Amino acid sequence: MTLRIDISGPPSEQLRFAASPLAELTAMLHVLAEPGHHPQLAGWAGEVWAGLRPELAERLREAEFLWRSSQADFLLPARPRPTLAEELDDVDRIDDAAYATAALVTTCGSNRGHVATQSPLTDATARERALNLAQARGARQEAFAERLLADPTAVRARVRHTLEQCAEAFFDAAWTDVAVQLATDLRLKNDLLKRQGIGAALASVSGAVTLAPDGDCILVDKLQDKATAAHSDGVTFIPSVFSRPHLVAVHAPGWQPVVQYPVGEPSPSEPVSLETVTLRLEALTHPVRLRLLRTLARGPHTTGELAHAWELSLPEVSRHLTVLRRAGLLTARRHGRYVRHTLNVPDLTALGADLLAAVLR
């Protein structure tokens, strides 16, 4: 499963390394929404939640649609700016149709790029599907989607105000230290790019990012087999202190390719018993179950959502989920008429940091 990014355009525009305040704030918001993905930041997340005003905490839960299971593409700028305010100004320039399409993408399934070709503001089928997916995510998400489709101007203004409040509450203080770490990484990446070329620069980003032998394509080990092209605008690589273990990529039609990669050292894995490893690895021998797990790593999903994302039948998905539950890798909880399946991240961690990183990537 690979994302292929065509970079056969002008050499001077192939790669760009730059820090983005908005992308880093998005990574922080994902940590707050999914602390189980980031055990090394659990203390930070707890302190932030404890210090938030109730109104802002509720706003974050209301808009988590944008960054929990998958980040909205407009939150990862292709042309990073020095300040959060400037990047939010750029987001304001995006038309409502593109904004709504990106905002309502809720899964990393294989159909993501296809869904993004139509906006739920203008296409009835896309609108119905967006609302159905939002409903399955929960009451807050459904309400957010309904408000966005009914009055995108008001919702966009509210989201911007929420992000500005986050800057005052915790981001500005954190960014002071984070910016130093990102600047150090950027100096290394740009020096490698200048002195040793694209291949060396990509190798320093992640073992999951490589240059194809012909030099015309970047290969990213991701959830789905997809392809996009950089054309003359190139690919933007954004370092992040808060994103580990995720490697986030913008590849939907109409968006310039962007890759957000983690900097810093990964947390060491804990030793596990051979019996536990054997049981769980046996459950992961089927490629379909691996795909389901990688989707569930982004957040809880229903059987129907998983079937739609991977174009499988409901009975087939149910059989695979049963195997994963018996291995203790999933938990199923009923919410109204929906049963959502959740990845047990701590149990999956027992299989080793490399496997966990591959699933969450």
Side-chain angles (χ1 to χ4, degrees):
M1 292 179 279
T2 303
L3 169 64
R4 301 176 62 88
I5 306 175
D6 183 353
I7 56 168
S8 56
S12 62
E13 291 291 333
Q14 287 179 326
L15 263 67
R16 177 186 305 104
F17 288 92
S20 164
L22 178 57
E24 193 66 10
L25 173 55
T26 301
M28 293 180 186
L29 292 172
H30 174 74
V31 172
L32 293 176
E34 287 285 5
H37 290 187
H38 311 270
Q40 75 279 13
L41 294 171
W44 174 86
E47 290 178 4
V48 170
W49 277 119
L52 290 181
R53 291 181 291 104
E55 178 190 358
L56 179 54
E58 180 58 29
R59 277 176 171 245
L60 291 184
R61 296 186 182 98
E62 164 193 299
E64 68 176 14
F65 214 79
L66 299 175
W67 50 72
R68 181 163 196 159
S69 60
S70 63
Q71 287 83 341
D73 289 339
F74 56 75
L75 295 175
L76 298 172
R79 297 282 179 176
R81 307 287 189 177
T83 68
L84 179 64
E86 290 174 286
E87 292 186 326
L88 291 176
D89 287 343
D90 287 342
V91 173
D92 288 343
R93 297 185 184 100
I94 299 171
D95 64 71
D96 286 345
Y99 185 102
T101 299
L104 297 179
V105 169
T106 63
T107 179
C108 293
S110 60
N111 60 332
R112 180 176 183 176
H114 171 73
V115 172
T117 61
Q118 297 294 335
S119 169
L121 287 178
T122 57
D123 182 81
T125 301
R127 178 187 181 89
E128 181 180 2
R129 181 177 184 276
L131 289 174
N132 287 339
L133 286 172
Q135 184 182 47
R137 302 258 58 79
R140 281 195 181 94
Q141 292 82 353
E142 181 182 9
F144 176 84
E146 289 177 343
R147 286 195 301 271
L148 177 60
L149 295 175
D151 190 351
T153 300
V155 171
R156 293 179 65 164
R158 184 174 175 84
V159 169
R160 173 166 183 154
H161 187 221
T162 298
L163 297 178
E164 291 170 338
Q165 287 182 310
C166 289
E168 297 175 5
F170 61 87
F171 175 74
D172 287 347
W175 179 249
T176 301
D177 293 329
V178 167
V180 175
Q181 298 179 62
L182 298 183
T184 300
D185 182 79
L186 289 173
R187 283 194 295 272
L188 170 64
K189 298 297 189 293
N190 284 308
D191 183 65
L192 284 171
L193 183 61
K194 178 181 179 181
R195 297 178 182 276
Q196 300 184 39
I198 293 177
L202 292 177
S204 70
V205 167
S206 168
V209 181
T210 57
L211 183 67
D214 60 9
D216 288 339
C217 186
I218 297 173
L219 307 177
V220 185
D221 177 29
K222 286 294 294 177
L223 174 64
Q224 60 276 82
D225 292 317
K226 289 292 180 183
T228 187
H231 301 300
S232 61
D233 293 325
V235 185
T236 300
F237 283 82
I238 300 176
S240 171
V241 171
F242 280 77
S243 67
R244 182 172 299 279
H246 304 306
L247 188 67
V248 183
V250 173
H251 59 80
W255 296 88
Q256 183 179 336
V258 177
V259 177
Q260 183 186 47
Y261 63 92
V263 301
E265 293 298 321
S267 301
S269 58
E270 297 181 0
V272 296
S273 69
L274 178 60
E275 181 182 2
T276 299
V277 172
T278 302
L279 176 66
R280 289 174 179 165
L281 286 180
E282 286 176 351
L284 299 176
T285 55
H286 199 292
V288 171
R289 290 198 283 272
L290 279 177
R291 293 186 178 188
L292 296 178
L293 275 184
R294 295 182 76 179
T295 299
L296 288 166
R298 271 67 183 183
H301 286 68
T302 65
T303 303
E305 287 179 298
L306 293 169
H308 181 87
W310 292 107
E311 299 179 356
L312 301 169
S313 69
L314 286 172
E316 182 178 6
V317 172
S318 294
R319 286 194 297 271
H320 288 302
L321 292 177
T322 297
V323 174
L324 293 170
R325 283 198 303 272
R326 287 174 178 168
L329 296 175
L330 298 183
T331 299
R333 292 188 177 90
R334 178 172 292 279
H335 299 267
R337 63 190 182 96
Y338 294 99
V339 174
R340 297 195 196 123
H341 305 279
T342 303
L343 175 65
N344 295 334
V345 175
D347 294 323
L348 187 58
T349 303
L351 292 175
D354 290 342
L355 179 57
L356 178 62
V359 168
L360 292 180
R361 198 157 47 230

